[in-house]
Amino acid sequence: MPPVDPPVEKPTSTDTVPTQGPAQAQTKPPLKERLKVLMTEYGFLAVLVYLSTSVVSITVFTVLIQTADLKALGDRFGVQLEGTSGLLGTLGAAWVLTKLIQVPRIFATLALTPLIGRIPFVARQLKRLE
């Protein structure tokens, strides 16, 4: 039997072929520039997506803190997690945790906003706002 050549991989749409030499390969613009472009293109929708990620993360963290047995952890940090002041302590802890994941939320906003902007209903509303 003759030896079989390994299959040749076909390029996909995600493959990038540099049009210039490797020294002149294109790099992504900095985060600040990408945010400017996002705000220019989507404006209100980008702000809405960012605020929605904030509300969702505060809600998730609040539920997790309330359902988990974190009394010992609250005692360790001097935060009361029961009663009215406990709810405020829980919301405060959820806010701090949300601030800790702010950078991933910004990247999520960069990724989600164009996707949400392509939804036909949203796209029509964006055109109407222009």
Side-chain angles (χ1 to χ4, degrees):
M1 226 178 182
V4 178
D5 291 333
V8 177
E9 292 185 28
K10 295 179 182 177
T12 63
S13 63
T14 58
D15 292 340
T16 56
V17 178
T19 56
Q20 302 167 349
Q24 298 175 346
Q26 294 180 353
T27 60
K28 284 187 177 181
L31 180 61
K32 188 174 182 179
E33 291 299 318
R34 290 191 292 179
L35 285 172
K36 280 183 183 179
V37 169
L38 188 76
M39 287 303 295
T40 303
E41 276 187 51
Y42 296 100
F44 179 72
L45 179 64
V47 172
L48 189 64
V49 170
Y50 178 75
L51 292 176
S52 297
T53 61
S54 297
V55 169
V56 167
S57 34
I58 287 175
T59 303
V60 167
F61 284 132
T62 300
V63 169
L64 287 175
I65 290 169
Q66 287 184 341
T67 58
D69 185 20
L70 298 176
K71 183 162 176 49
L73 187 62
D75 292 340
R76 180 175 179 179
F77 290 105
V79 177
Q80 181 181 354
L81 297 174
E82 297 172 354
T84 304
S85 61
L87 178 61
L88 293 176
T90 301
L91 288 173
W95 179 78
V96 169
L97 291 170
T98 299
K99 291 305 269 182
L100 287 174
I101 63 165
Q102 185 169 6
V103 172
R105 286 188 303 111
I106 290 171
F107 284 116
T109 301
L110 284 170
L112 291 174
T113 301
L115 295 175
I116 293 172
R118 289 185 194 137
I119 297 172
F121 172 76
V122 176
R124 283 192 307 267
Q125 297 303 320
L126 286 174
K127 287 200 185 264
R128 208 168 97 196
L129 288 174
E130 291 178 351

